[in-house]
Amino acid sequence: QARLANAARIVQLQTELHRKKQEADKLACTDYLTQLRNRRAMWQNLGMDFERMSREQRPLSALVIDIDFFKKINDAHGHQTGDYVLQAVADCLTNSVRSGDYVGRWGGEEFLAVLPGADIIQSAEVAERCRHHLESLRIKVDSGEVIRLSASFGVAAIDGAGREDCNALIEQADQALYWAKDAGRNRVKIYVPGVGPRRNMR
């Protein structure tokens, strides 16, 4: 009975250690504010999906999303309101993408959405739906003022046997985001090779 009791305690301790490790792993991959995947987790998932889509000979798309004039919101209403805006945007994007797609916080006011199996047309349609839903958001602050949001979207896709790597996909989506900002913000731009100068509009 003593040996059984000791064995039961060991099993209980191992179970508790496993649970704590799972919690720690989740915390390490989760953005504390939005509860989305953080940048580290997005890179990991993107890499796995790149390999999977390559094996299955299916496309893979990415959306880089930047909230327009987010600094003005922070400056005018404070960081607490800014945090609430980020949470609202995270929820809106998560509810606007397709089943099987996923969204993460890429950094600051930027988000990344990964769309396994989506070609450039499908991903542009998803981006436009997200943009429309964000534009429809109304956030009321303590002063009674209502904040209206918009965001700029850069869209890129990789497909075919000669596909580039994950870094190239993100760079292309980022380039398309620059074009969206350069064109006036609150719009979707897709990456087209060899089009337009590279400009940093952040």
Side-chain angles (χ1 to χ4, degrees), residues 2-186:
R3 284 196 293 270
L4 285 173
N6 285 334
R9 281 195 294 271
I10 290 171
V11 170
Q12 185 179 5
L13 286 171
Q14 289 175 334
T15 302
E16 182 66 14
L17 284 171
H18 180 68
R19 184 185 65 80
K20 288 183 177 180
K21 183 180 183 302
Q22 286 182 317
E23 289 178 355
D25 290 342
K26 183 179 180 181
L27 285 172
C29 293
T30 302
D31 176 62
Y32 76 98
L33 180 63
T34 62
Q35 295 303 300
L36 296 178
R37 293 173 173 88
N38 60 19
R39 191 182 184 98
R40 170 189 173 188
M42 291 299 288
W43 272 120
Q44 291 175 342
N45 291 136
L46 179 60
M48 290 188 290
D49 278 321
F50 176 82
E51 296 297 332
R52 182 166 63 90
M53 294 297 102
S54 297
R55 288 194 305 270
E56 297 175 5
Q57 288 297 297
R58 298 171 62 201
L60 175 67
S61 295
L63 317 178
V64 178
I65 305 139
D66 187 86
I67 303 173
D68 295 331
F69 306 113
F70 180 72
K71 185 177 183 299
K72 289 184 178 180
I73 295 174
N74 270 337
D75 291 345
H77 304 287
H79 289 281
Q80 186 173 358
T81 298
D83 288 349
Y84 182 74
V85 166
L86 290 171
Q87 291 167 342
V89 169
D91 290 342
C92 182
L93 293 174
T94 301
N95 293 326
S96 300
V97 297
R98 312 169 310 162
S99 174
D101 301 339
Y102 51 95
V103 181
R105 188 175 179 194
W106 199 231
E109 65 271 24
E110 272 196 356
F111 296 83
L112 174 69
V114 177
L115 287 62
D119 60 26
I120 193 66
I121 301 301
Q122 292 168 322
S123 55
E125 290 172 349
V126 172
E128 182 57 35
R129 180 167 68 244
C130 292
R131 188 202 65 79
H132 175 72
H133 289 170
L134 283 174
E135 190 179 36
S136 301
L137 281 180
R138 299 291 183 270
I139 298 176
K140 190 172 183 179
V141 297
D142 293 339
S143 64
E145 183 180 349
V146 175
I147 298 174
R148 302 180 63 173
L149 299 176
S150 68
S152 303
F153 290 73
V155 182
I158 47 178
D159 199 359
R163 65 182 68 203
E164 298 183 82
D165 60 18
C166 297
N167 288 322
L169 176 65
I170 299 302
E171 287 176 3
Q172 291 167 3
D174 216 26
Q175 174 65 79
L177 174 64
Y178 297 152
W179 293 337
K181 291 183 176 183
D182 198 20
R185 294 179 166 83
N186 189 26

